[in-house]
Amino acid sequence: MISIKNEREVAAMRVAGSIARTVLEEVAAVIQPGMTTRQIDGLAAAAIERHGAKSAFLGYRKYPCHICISVNEEVVHGLAGERRVEFGDIVSLDVGVYHGGFVGDTAKTVAVGGCSLEAQRLMDVTERSLAEGIAQARAGNRVSDISRAVQRYVEAHGFSVVREFVGHGVGRSVHEEPQVPNFVDGKSSPKLRAGMTLAIEPMVNAGKPQVQMLNDGWTVVTKDGELSAHFEHTVLITDGDPEILTWPMTTAFGSKGQ
Ligand code: MF3
Ligand code: CO
Ligand code: CO
């Protein structure tokens, strides 16, 4: 069953989404070469608390960190630890928060200080593929229209989409129906209706699409060791244009969340 959110629930999701994105932007803005991923997770934990929210990931299926931090060849679900990020690394940050009974889920990849032109192109194409997917998130379309738009854009630019992990419905829980793949497989997929809330999240590899999991049971890396990028928004299907719910607060960084 795909849940349809009413106006009151959508209002709560706007707040949760806005907090998630604000935390993401705040953390992204202060990452410096030499920081450990554990320090970055600590900054995220503090920001989530300051905004009166809770991590939606900590404890989810026993996930041990507040956000997901995936460096370079790490695709998603990277664990915070003693690894230090260096100038030239790219870091995928994925923030999920609970607020008012609802989840906001959003991600982006940023360079530490600066990065190679090829890494920058990977991030640009991934972010743009998310926009292409969001543009198809319209009532009357199908989930597969989103998937196709993402895949086409990514592959037209010479990169590949990850198959093993997908976007999803989001609401009272982090993962709800339906699945929102970043590729098409010919199977029929649900029709989009106003009031559905979806996390659209292309995971894009510079090389081959295959991934594997590290022994920590969480960190997903590219099999070929090439870079990977990840961008995500929580989006509301409406009778008109899609609404991005994970938009940062307009009160600028450092706000107390009022
Ligand atoms: N952030 C992931 C997503 O976008 C979910 C992470 S679950 C966790 O769907 F347990 F790994 F945190
Ligand atoms: Co996410
Ligand atoms: Co998600």
Side-chain angles (χ1 to χ4, degrees):
M1 239 267 297
I2 303 178
S3 73
I4 300 293
K5 277 75 177 180
N6 64 30
E7 209 26 73
R8 184 185 53 79
E9 294 168 320
V10 166
M13 287 198 65
R14 278 191 194 104
V15 178
S18 173
I19 292 172
R21 191 68 191 196
T22 303
V23 167
L24 174 56
E25 299 295 347
E26 287 177 350
V27 172
V30 297
I31 290 185
Q32 301 292 334
M35 278 183 183
T36 66
T37 52
R38 197 183 302 289
Q39 284 175 310
I40 297 168
D41 191 67
L43 291 168
I48 291 168
E49 193 182 339
R50 180 160 45 80
H51 289 291
K54 291 242 180 301
S55 167
F57 299 161
L58 182 67
Y60 178 82
R61 299 186 184 191
K62 301 204 176 140
Y63 187 75
C65 308
H66 296 84
I67 64 171
C68 301
I69 305 171
S70 308
V71 183
N72 293 339
E73 77 289 351
E74 296 175 358
V75 179
V76 286
H77 305 161
L79 297 182
E82 301 319 308
R83 180 173 183 169
R84 288 181 192 278
V85 297
E86 293 171 17
F87 184 91
D89 286 346
I90 62 170
V91 183
S92 298
L93 303 166
D94 191 340
V95 176
V97 304
Y98 277 115
H99 185 277
F102 287 89
V103 174
D105 186 10
T106 185
K108 73 172 182 177
T109 305
V110 296
V112 181
C115 64
S116 69
L117 284 177
E118 191 57 6
Q120 186 62 53
R121 199 174 75 84
L122 174 68
M123 294 191 288
D124 290 346
V125 166
T126 308
E127 184 168 23
R128 183 68 209 177
S129 76
L130 171 57
E132 296 284 324
I134 292 172
Q136 295 302 318
R138 306 183 71 88
N141 277 0
R142 290 185 183 275
V143 168
S144 55
D145 292 308
I146 298 172
S147 309
R148 187 177 307 104
V150 170
Q151 182 175 24
R152 272 208 186 139
Y153 189 84
V154 168
E155 292 179 353
H157 289 81
F159 297 135
S160 64
V161 291
V162 170
R163 308 297 204 269
E164 286 87 343
F165 297 87
V166 296
H168 49 92
V170 55
R172 290 189 186 276
S173 334
V174 180
H175 292 142
E176 298 185 349
E177 289 180 42
Q179 294 200 345
V180 184
N182 298 301
F183 60 96
V184 284
D185 55 11
K187 288 194 210 127
S188 84
S189 74
K191 250 201 179 148
L192 301 176
R193 286 179 48 198
M196 290 181 181
T197 46
L198 306 177
I200 306 175
E201 51 177 312
M203 289 147 267
V204 175
N205 294 351
K208 299 213 159 62
Q210 283 77 22
V211 297
Q212 63 192 29
M213 192 176 300
L214 295 187
N215 287 333
D216 63 20
W218 280 106
T219 310
V220 176
V221 298
T222 57
K223 252 194 181 147
D224 60 13
E226 303 255 6
L227 297 178
S228 188
H230 181 208
F231 283 78
E232 175 177 33
H233 273 302
T234 299
V235 173
L236 170 70
I237 311 296
T238 77
D239 288 318
D241 292 333
E243 180 182 337
I244 296 175
L245 298 175
T246 38
W247 210 252
M249 293 168 197
T250 50
T251 46
F253 302 155
S255 82
K256 296 288 196 294
Q258 274 98 359

